[in-house]
Amino acid sequence: MTPLVRIEDLSIALPGGADRPYAVEKLSLTLAPGEIVCVVGESGSGKSMTASALMGLLPTSLPVRGGRIMLGERNILGLSEDELRAIRGPEIGMIFQEPMTALNPLRTAGDQIAEMFRAHTKLSKQEIGARALKLLDEVGIPEPASAYRAYPHELSGGQRQRVMIAMALALEPKILIADEPTTALDVTIQAQILTLIRDIQRRTGMAVLFITHDFGVVAEIADRVMVMQHGRVVESGTVGDVLNDPKADYTRALIAAVPSITPPPPRVLPNKTIATVRDLSKTYRTGGGWFGRQRRVTYAVKAVDIDLPSRATLGIVGESGSGKSTLARCIVRLLDPDHGTIELDGVDFGKLGGETLRRHRHLVQMVFQDPYASLNPRRTAGDLVSQGLVARGVKQDKALARAKELFTLVGLDPSATDRLPHQFSGGQRQRIGLARALALEPKILVADEAVSALDVSVQAQVLQLLVELRDRLSLSMIFITHDLRVAAQICDRIAIMQRGEVVEHGVTAEIFAAPKHPYTQKLLSAVPGRVNAVEMSR
Amino acid sequence: MKALRHFLFSPAAVLGLLLLIGIVGLAIFADLLYPRDPLALAGRPLQWPSLGGRFLLGTDASGRDIAAQIAHGARTTLLMGMVSTLIAIAIGIVVGALAGFYGGMTDDALMRMTEAFQTLPNFILLLVLVVVVGSNMTAVTIAIGAVSWPAVARLTRAEFLTLRNREFVQACRTLGLTNRWIIFREVLPNALAPIIVYGSVVMATAILLESALAFLDLSDPNIASWGNLIGQGRKVLRSEWYVSAIPGVAILLTILSVSLVGQGLNDALNPRLRGR
């Protein structure tokens, strides 16, 4: 079949001072009708740049240095802004990663879909309304008529992404570019969106260029795969070939770094409990005030009981809004629980307050999710790690010496303590966060989505480090995650949370082998790439 | 360092900086240039400015050298502007930081107080203060500082509100750092850039407030200041307009330089606005 798009030897330059001369180097790619091509790579591999180039959306700071992008007989790179506008929408549709920021918050979903028709067609108002409504129905939004009138914030994440897809499909483009469209979504929603894209693609026979970092998603949706690293294509082929028989070392390493969904056999744990949480509840109250609307009460955590065996890792797994982060923040007392007890290492931690609480803070430490937001950008790495000790009365020079030891412990260069956070990579920053948490020699470490923001290969290294340190320092760990693959590999026990409640808990291997609660079953079956090449290739 | 380079590449900011350096130089070397008391009688009153004459900028209605008053007045004006700005920023930071960091009742109480100050016109409040505490330069400086802080407090509070829930602040709390440490050593340095920039606005306003007071003969009459000179010139405005116009231009240039430097700092310190 003749390809719809041919990218030939595309090179895009990076501004001077970057770590490499090209964002994308000598990239060639064809896209035929009716196929889904996945471009896979870690952050900075140039995969999103490729998509932007195809839409003619490259920022002026990144000029094209060579190659062509042929859409039929036209070279997209040579088109004017007006000609590009005529292509975007009718010929190429695009969906983005974050549907909340890609939609205009002040206009209704239906209005934004209708905008596509208003801009590109001469249909009447009634016809446009009817078409937009039909699209909403096609992308599987429940109650399309009320979704038509809803503002983006009134829709859930999955519904917003469906609206985006409806917009991209409005003018029946022959090509759909999807840039990480499911990365910001929960697994169960992700599964639905992937199925939806698959269905629509089959029905309309369009070509899909799907950008992702997740090999599970690749296995789920791709016909052909292209693996990118540092702007170059390291491997491409059919999904079966690449996943089952990867040729390039990099591809092999990437696939190996995807954690398996099958947990290892359970470890023998000491029969001692280090942390006990009983009947913990936390409620958020919003609104109210003197003239405000009715107060809204959200039960973020509802009567949760958990036990953490000494030296074990307890996974708390759930989707967004399940209350898992609130629970973690209550345990480390960043939030005050409304109700319930928290006992850590024999201390009634939940009842402490003021100065006593501050003195007992060292018992439990936290590693945060975002390696960029969790380090004060104006303090050196050494300061960040040593300040907890300084606050407890340790002399400055001694604390800094200890910080250097901790740097070695977490696998960082101890001479880097005088650098600022922005001089480290994401994985290195997460190691600094870990060193900071370990500085006070905690008994319990709470990791809140500590590896979620990292690339899969870096993620594997940090997970490895966490396990090593847990065993070496006799730590007990509470590991908050939405990623069942990670949970399977690192947690001895897990507790599944849904809407503030623990619906199922127990030994990880047992739960993964035979989930009892329907929600657990649903979560497990939604994990992408579960029954396919990624698992088969092990 | 990147911020400094960015600053030096902006022509407006460099112009402002050169102007400001000139005015500061004038203030520093006032004693060398005009060693005599600027308020002493120097010659025949109301001589027009002349390039070759004895008085470069002429004399005022009492026969005092205007050039000497401008040079010495620069000292008064800059010092007064700087000190009152520091006072306003100090009060504003403390009020804003406490309100933004603690939130809840503290925030409500402090912000209602700030609003009470804001709803009164600055100048009226200043007049009342000066009438109550007297009109020597120290009192005027403190009074100007005391009426200029509410906007600084609001700005600081807004910065603290966005920063206090950042993960790095939470990390500090789990480390058991005291609130005082977190406020002043962790959050404040991250909130400081816009406050410093706003300082230039406060300083410009402070200089104007002082001139307005002097114009109404309510500032310290025993010190050479630009405002006093304008006040002197008021009586002869129709015939010898230069008596008021010369210090007026000096004030204009000072405020312009401070604003340009402030704007340059804003562009340099606020990376989000770069490249616009």
Side-chain angles (χ1 to χ4, degrees), chain A residues 461-497:
Chain A
Q461 292 162 12
V462 174
L463 282 176
Q464 179 71 30
L465 176 68
L466 275 173
V467 171
E468 264 173 45
L469 289 175
R470 175 191 70 194
D471 297 344
R472 225 165 104 193
L473 307 173
S474 306
L475 286 170
S476 313
M477 211 149 72
I478 295 179
F479 195 89
I480 316 284
T481 186
H482 70 283
D483 189 335
L484 285 158
R485 290 176 178 275
V486 169
Q489 291 313 307
I490 196 172
C491 303
D492 298 297
R493 284 155 186 269
I494 55 169
I496 312 278
M497 284 189 78

Side-chain angles (χ1 to χ4, degrees), chain A residues 329 358 365 376 379 387, chain B residues 167 170 173-174 176 186 190:
Chain A
R329 279 170 165 67
R358 230 167 49 71
Q365 287 291 303
N376 188 340
R379 290 187 154 262
Q387 63 185 0
Chain B
E167 282 191 346
Q170 296 189 348
R173 284 173 63 199
T174 60
E186 302 294 332
N190 284 292

Side-chain angles (χ1 to χ4, degrees), chain B residues 6-63:
Chain B
H6 193 272
F7 183 89
L8 292 179
F9 268 108
S10 151
V14 172
L15 181 72
L17 190 63
L18 289 178
L19 211 53
L20 192 60
I21 289 173
I23 296 162
V24 170
L26 187 65
I28 290 172
F29 297 113
D31 277 338
L32 283 174
L33 292 168
Y34 300 97
R36 295 183 51 208
D37 180 0
L39 296 183
L41 202 65
R44 195 162 48 80
L46 296 175
Q47 295 183 48
W48 278 77
S50 64
L51 265 179
R54 218 178 115 209
F55 303 106
L56 182 67
L57 298 176
T59 55
D60 67 6
S62 319

Side-chain angles (χ1 to χ4, degrees), chain A residues 38-49:
Chain A
C38 270
V39 180
V40 205
E42 299 191 295
S43 49
S45 62
K47 55 189 194 302
S48 284
M49 269 320 130

Side-chain angles (χ1 to χ4, degrees), chain A residues 67-344:
Chain A
R68 305 193 290 172
I69 301 179
M70 301 303 292
L71 178 71
E73 292 306 312
R74 282 167 299 173
N75 183 358
I76 288 185
L77 298 175
L79 296 184
S80 70
E81 195 58 31
D82 279 341
E83 290 168 310
L84 281 173
R85 240 194 309 277
I87 287 176
R88 296 177 196 143
E91 299 198 39
I92 309 179
M94 186 157 182
I95 21 180
F96 299 90
Q97 173 171 353
E98 188 40 81
M100 190 67 210
T101 50
L103 288 172
N104 183 341
L106 294 178
R107 298 176 62 185
T108 63
D111 190 32
Q112 295 185 56
I113 298 172
E115 180 79 18
M116 295 295 291
F117 294 110
R118 281 199 294 271
H120 291 282
T121 65
K122 292 194 170 66
L123 294 174
S124 72
K125 215 171 170 188
Q126 282 78 14
E127 274 176 291
I128 290 178
R131 291 277 284 276
L133 200 61
K134 185 159 162 282
L135 274 167
L136 281 172
D137 191 36
E138 273 171 25
V139 295
I141 283 193
E143 298 180 48
S146 65
Y148 187 94
R149 288 188 305 271
Y151 288 92
H153 70 268
E154 294 171 318
L155 300 169
S156 71
Q159 287 170 346
R160 285 197 286 266
Q161 197 57 288
R162 284 171 197 268
V163 171
M164 282 298 300
I165 293 174
M167 279 172 74
L169 295 178
L171 303 171
E172 294 167 8
K174 293 189 278 300
I175 300 159
L176 179 70
I177 301 174
D179 189 0
E180 303 259 13
T182 58
T183 307
L185 304 175
D186 285 327
V187 277
T188 50
I189 312 293
Q190 166 171 296
Q192 293 168 13
I193 297 288
L194 290 178
T195 316
L196 175 70
I197 293 178
R198 218 355 164 193
D199 284 352
I200 292 175
Q201 183 264 341
R202 288 212 179 116
R203 207 162 61 220
T204 61
M206 65 181 176
V208 179
L209 185 68
F210 197 103
I211 316 277
T212 184
H213 67 282
D214 187 338
F215 266 102
V217 171
V218 173
E220 206 71 32
I221 199 165
D223 296 317
R224 283 197 298 131
V225 186
M226 197 170 87
V227 184
M228 288 185 73
Q229 183 193 19
H230 305 317
R232 288 195 204 94
V233 179
V234 293
E235 180 159 7
S236 62
T238 65
V239 67
D241 286 351
V242 173
L243 290 185
N244 295 323
D245 185 21
K247 301 282 184 301
D249 291 342
Y250 180 69
T251 315
R252 229 170 285 149
L254 270 188
I255 294 177
V258 178
S260 165
I261 189 77
T262 317
R267 298 189 301 156
V268 183
L269 295 170
N271 204 2
K272 188 178 155 245
T273 305
I274 191 156
T276 317
V277 172
R278 285 288 170 270
D279 202 20
L280 189 82
S281 295
K282 174 76 189 171
T283 323
Y284 289 118
R285 292 181 168 80
T286 48
W290 287 357
F291 308 107
R293 292 192 291 183
Q294 197 93 57
R295 275 189 160 211
R296 276 230 305 271
V297 180
T298 317
Y299 299 94
V301 174
K302 259 190 285 186
V304 165
D305 296 341
I306 53 172
D307 294 282
L308 174 63
S310 187
R311 298 189 192 180
T313 302
L314 169 69
I316 296 179
V317 181
E319 298 188 296
S320 54
S322 62
K324 56 189 194 307
S325 274
T326 305
L327 176 61
R329 279 170 165 67
C330 284
I331 293 172
V332 299
R333 292 293 306 276
L334 278 174
L335 292 172
D336 291 324
D338 297 332
H339 194 261
T341 58
I342 303 164
E343 199 186 298
L344 305 181

Side-chain angles (χ1 to χ4, degrees), chain B residues 227-267:
Chain B
N228 279 338
L229 198 53
I230 294 180
Q232 298 277 324
R234 191 180 49 179
K235 293 153 206 148
V236 290
L237 197 58
R238 291 224 280 187
S239 48
E240 279 80 23
W241 50 268
Y242 64 89
V243 181
S244 290
I246 291 169
V249 170
I251 290 172
L252 176 82
L253 289 178
T254 310
I255 291 176
L256 182 69
S257 69
V258 170
S259 303
L260 287 178
V261 169
Q263 192 57 49
L265 277 178
N266 189 31
D267 293 345

